[in-house]
C-alpha cells in the first residue's frame, strides 16, 4: 500500500467524521435484557415440539382424553391461550412475507410478491396435500419459481393457538403414518418458534421437497422448497439449515401473533 | 462478559464498527442503526458472544446481516419512538477522500466490498476474513485482488491519473 493509501486515510477519520448517535451503554444493556426476556418467553410459552425422531416411527402421542394410540394419533399440544387473549385475526398489511426470497422469478422475471389465498405447490406425504388452511381467518402466500421447482411460503392465521397447533399436529400425523412405494418421509430436527415441524419428502431419484411449519401464537408459517440429492442425509440437513436461515427474519416478525405480541 | 467489560467493549468499538459497516453498505445512518441493534443483541446473547472469542467480529457480522436484510427497510417506517438512537455526537464532516472511497466501494460487488473492508479497514488477516465471511482463503485472496483493481480504476482521477488525496495506488 502506498503512503497515501485511501484506506489509511479513511481509517484515520472513520471513527471521528460525521455525527454519531450512540445510546448510553446502560440503555443498550436494558434493551438487551428486554430482548432476552421476550425470547425466553416465546421459547417456553406453549412448549416446543421436536420433529419425528425416526423414519416411520410415530412420536409417542397422547390424545386429549389421556389415552395413547400406537398408530400415532394427534398431538394434543396445549398452548398458552386463555379466554383473556385477544388473538390477531389478520396479517398486518406490511408483514414481510417475501423477506429472504429472491426478488424475481427466474424465467418470467416477474416480481415475487405476497398474494391472498393459498394453493399447494409441493406434494406432501404420500403425494397428498400436506397443509390445510380451511377455516383460517387470513392467509397470504408467496411463490418463487426457480429453474427447477422453487420456494413456496405461506402464512395462515387461525382462531387461536390451539387451532393453529392442531393443524401442525395433523401434518405431523400425516407424515408419520405415510407408507408409500415411491417416496420416503424423512424427519428432521426443528426447534423454531413455539412449535415447529420439518420433514423431507424424498423420491427414489433424489428429488426432494422440504416441508417446514412454524407456529407462533395463532399463526403458522408453512414453507416448502425443492432440491435434488435427497438420498444423502447431509444434503437434507443442509437444506433444512438453508430453509431455517432463509425464514429466520419472517419467523422473528411472527411475534406479532403471540399471546404477548411484540 | 460482565457489565463493566461490555460497557468498555461497547464504548471503545462502537464508532470503529459503524465506520466499517458504513464502508460495507454505503449508508452511514443505516450502518449506525444496525450496529446499535447488533450491540443490543450482543448483550442479550452475551454467552454466545463470549464463546465466539471474537466479540467485535460477532457484532460486525450481526450488523452487516441486519443491514442487508430487506426486512429492515420494510419495518423501519413503523419503528417505535423508543428505538430511536441516542443524542448526537457531532464531529468533523467527512473528507472528500472519505466520501470518494465509500462511493467507490458501493460500486463493487458485495463480496469484494466486504473483503476489502474487513482486510484493509478492520485490519483482519486473510484467514480471519475467510472465517468471518465463511469462504476459503483462496476465495478471499481472489476477491481482494479483483476488488483492489476495480477500486483503483474507480478512484483514479481521469484528468491527473492520481487518486483523491494524492494517492497513486491502492
Amino acid at each position: 500500500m502506498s503512503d497515501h493509501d485511501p484506506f489509511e486515510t479513511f481509517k484515520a477519520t472513520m471513527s471521528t467524521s460525521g455525527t454519531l448517535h450512540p445510546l448510553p451503554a446502560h440503555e443498550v444493556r436494558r434493551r438487551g435484557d428486554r430482548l432476552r426476556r421476550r425470547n425466553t418467553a416465546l421459547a417456553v410459552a406453549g412448549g416446543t415440539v421436536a420433529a419425528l425422531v425416526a423414519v416411520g416411527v410415530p412420536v409417542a402421542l397422547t390424545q386429549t382424553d389421556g389415552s395413547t394410540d400406537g398408530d400415532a394419533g394427534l398431538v394434543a399440544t396445549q398452548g398458552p391461550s386463555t379466554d383473556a387473549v385477544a388473538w390477531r385475526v389478520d396479517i398486518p398489511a406490511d408483514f414481510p412475507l417475501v423477506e429472504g426470497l429472491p426478488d424475481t422469478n427466474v424465467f418470467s422475471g416477474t416480481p415475487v410478491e405476497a398474494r391472498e389465498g393459498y394453493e399447494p405447490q409441493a406434494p406432501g406425504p404420500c403425494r397428498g396435500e400436506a397443509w390445510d388452511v380451511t377455516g383460517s381467518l387470513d392467509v397470504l402466500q408467496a411463490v418463487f419459481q426457480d429453474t427447477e421447482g422453487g420456494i413456496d411460503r405461506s402464512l395462515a392465521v387461525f382462531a387461536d393457538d390451539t387451532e393453529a397447533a392442531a393443524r401442525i399436529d395433523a401434518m405431523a400425523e400425516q407424515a408419520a403414518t405415510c407408507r408409500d412405494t415411491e417416496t420416503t418421509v424423512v424427519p428432521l430436527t426443528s426447534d423454531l418458534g413455539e412449535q415447529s415441524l420439518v420433514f423431507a419428502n424424498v423420491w427414489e431419484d433424489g428429488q426432494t421437497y422440504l416441508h417446514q411449519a412454524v407456529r407462533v401464537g395463532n399463526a403458522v408459517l408453512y414453507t416448502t422448497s425443492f432440491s435434488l440429492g435427497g438420498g444423502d442425509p447431509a444434503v437434507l440437513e443442509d437444506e433444512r439449515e438453508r430453509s431455517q436461515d432463509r425464514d429466520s427474519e419472517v419467523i422473528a416478525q411472527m411475534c406479532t401473533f403471540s399471546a404477548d405480541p411484540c | 462478559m460482565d457489565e463493566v467489560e461490555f460497557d468498555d467493549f461497547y464504548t471503545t468499538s462502537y464508532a470503529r464498527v459503524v465506520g466499517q459497516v458504513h464502508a460495507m453498505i454505503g449508508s452511514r445512518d443505516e450502518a449506525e442503526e444496525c450496529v446499535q441493534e447488533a450491540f443490543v443483541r450482543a448483550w442479550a446473547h452475551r454467552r454466545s458472544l463470549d464463546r465466539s472469542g471474537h466479540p467485535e467480529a460477532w457484532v460486525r457480522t450481526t450488523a452487516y446481516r441486519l443491514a442487508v436484510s430487506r426486512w429492515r427497510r420494510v419495518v423501519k417506517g413503523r419503528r417505535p419512538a423508543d428505538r430511536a438512537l441516542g443524542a448526537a455526537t457531532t464531529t468533523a464532516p467527512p473528507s472528500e477522500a472519505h466520501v470518494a472511497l465509500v462511493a467507490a466501494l458501493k460500486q463493487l460487488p458485495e463480496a469484494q466490498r466486504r473483503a476489502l473492508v474487513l482486510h484493509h479497514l478492520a485490519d483482519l488477516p486473510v484467514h480471519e476474513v475467510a472465517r468471518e465471511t465463511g469462504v476459503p482463503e483462496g476465495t478471499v485472496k481472489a476477491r481482494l485482488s479483483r476488488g483492489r483493481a476495480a477500486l483503483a480504476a474507480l478512484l483514479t482521477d481521469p484528468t491527473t491519473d492520481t487518486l483523491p488525496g494524492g494517492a497513486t495506488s491502492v
Side-chain angles (χ1 to χ4, degrees):
Chain A
M1 289 284 172
S2 74
D3 289 341
H4 302 287
D5 184 344
F7 285 112
E8 292 302 319
T9 304
F10 187 97
K11 267 198 294 187
T13 58
M14 75 178 180
S15 300
T16 58
S17 66
T19 302
L20 296 178
H21 306 77
L23 288 170
H26 65 84
E27 176 63 16
V28 174
R29 285 187 278 105
R30 186 190 72 81
R31 296 184 185 194
D33 288 338
R34 188 174 67 186
L35 177 63
R36 189 180 181 86
R37 283 194 297 270
R38 189 178 76 192
N39 288 345
T40 303
L42 280 175
V44 304
T48 300
V49 178
L52 308 171
V53 296
V55 176
V57 175
V59 176
L61 300 168
T62 305
Q63 293 184 346
T64 52
D65 63 359
S67 65
T68 59
D69 185 342
D71 194 32
L74 293 175
V75 173
T77 308
Q78 295 302 317
S81 65
T82 68
D83 291 340
V85 176
W87 297 104
R88 273 202 79 105
V89 296
D90 59 5
I91 300 169
D94 59 352
F95 189 88
L97 186 66
V98 299
E99 173 59 30
L101 298 179
D103 290 333
T104 57
N105 295 298
V106 171
F107 288 123
S108 65
T110 54
V112 177
E113 297 174 323
R115 300 178 189 276
E116 290 189 4
Y118 172 74
E119 289 184 10
Q121 300 292 318
C126 289
R127 291 167 282 160
E129 287 186 16
W131 186 229
D132 178 17
V133 298
T134 307
S136 59
L137 305 178
D138 195 5
V139 60
L140 285 181
Q141 182 178 30
V143 178
F144 162 65
Q145 292 173 327
D146 205 342
T147 49
E148 281 186 310
I151 303 166
D152 158 37
R153 183 188 281 168
S154 65
L155 181 67
V157 178
F158 297 94
D160 54 34
D161 60 337
T162 302
E163 176 62 26
R167 298 303 178 102
I168 294 185
D169 295 343
M171 189 188 301
E173 179 189 12
Q174 188 187 97
T177 57
C178 174
R179 301 291 182 268
D180 190 29
T181 56
E182 294 185 20
T183 64
T184 302
V185 175
V186 180
L188 301 166
T189 303
S190 178
D191 185 14
L192 302 172
E194 297 172 29
Q195 178 188 10
S196 60
L197 171 71
V198 177
F199 63 88
N201 208 24
V202 184
W203 263 252
E204 290 177 331
D205 61 0
Q207 292 190 60
T208 301
Y209 285 94
L210 188 81
H211 298 254
Q212 174 176 283
V214 180
R215 181 183 69 79
V216 176
N218 64 328
V220 176
L221 181 76
Y222 172 61
T223 304
T224 67
S225 57
F226 176 80
S227 65
L228 298 172
D232 184 347
V235 170
L236 293 181
E237 181 58 24
D238 184 59
E239 281 300 310
R240 183 199 66 76
E241 284 187 10
R242 287 175 63 189
S243 182
Q244 178 174 315
D245 191 54
R246 189 169 50 226
D247 287 357
S248 62
E249 290 298 344
V250 178
I251 294 171
Q253 287 303 298
M254 289 176 69
C255 58
T256 191
F257 300 105
S258 74
D260 179 20
C262 55
Chain B
M1 184 179 285
D2 62 21
E3 291 183 3
V4 172
E5 290 168 334
F6 177 82
D7 289 0
D8 181 61
F9 163 60
Y10 171 67
T11 304
T12 57
S13 59
Y14 179 83
R16 179 168 59 244
V17 178
V18 170
Q20 291 162 2
V21 176
H22 173 206
M24 279 191 234
I25 68 173
S27 166
R28 188 174 182 84
D29 288 344
E30 187 75 6
E32 189 170 13
E33 283 195 28
C34 294
V35 170
Q36 190 74 87
E37 185 163 340
F39 272 106
V40 169
R41 295 189 184 197
W43 179 247
H45 301 283
R46 51 192 176 278
R47 272 181 287 187
S48 296
L49 196 71
D50 286 339
R51 278 199 299 270
S52 76
H54 302 86
E56 189 163 311
W58 193 101
V59 171
R60 180 173 51 237
T61 302
T62 300
Y64 177 73
R65 287 175 181 168
L66 288 170
V68 300
S69 164
R70 288 181 292 161
W71 162 71
R72 285 194 60 82
R73 289 194 288 274
V74 169
V75 301
K76 201 163 66 171
R78 61 175 175 82
R79 181 183 292 277
D82 72 344
R83 296 189 68 179
L85 298 171
T89 304
T90 304
T91 56
S95 66
E96 178 186 331
H98 185 116
V99 172
L101 181 60
V102 172
L105 283 169
K106 216 171 172 179
Q107 297 183 59
L108 298 182
E110 181 187 323
Q112 289 178 16
R113 187 190 326 138
R114 193 174 176 204
L116 286 172
V117 171
L118 291 176
H119 185 62
H120 291 295
L121 290 183
D123 292 330
L124 298 185
V126 169
H127 71 271
E128 286 289 328
V129 176
R131 185 191 55 77
E132 189 160 326
T133 56
V135 300
E137 288 186 29
T139 303
V140 172
K141 290 177 183 175
R143 290 175 179 176
L144 288 173
S145 175
R146 287 194 288 267
R148 279 192 284 256
L151 197 63
L154 288 168
L155 290 176
T156 300
D157 183 334
T159 61
T160 65
D161 281 334
T162 58
L163 299 171
T168 54
S169 68
V170 285

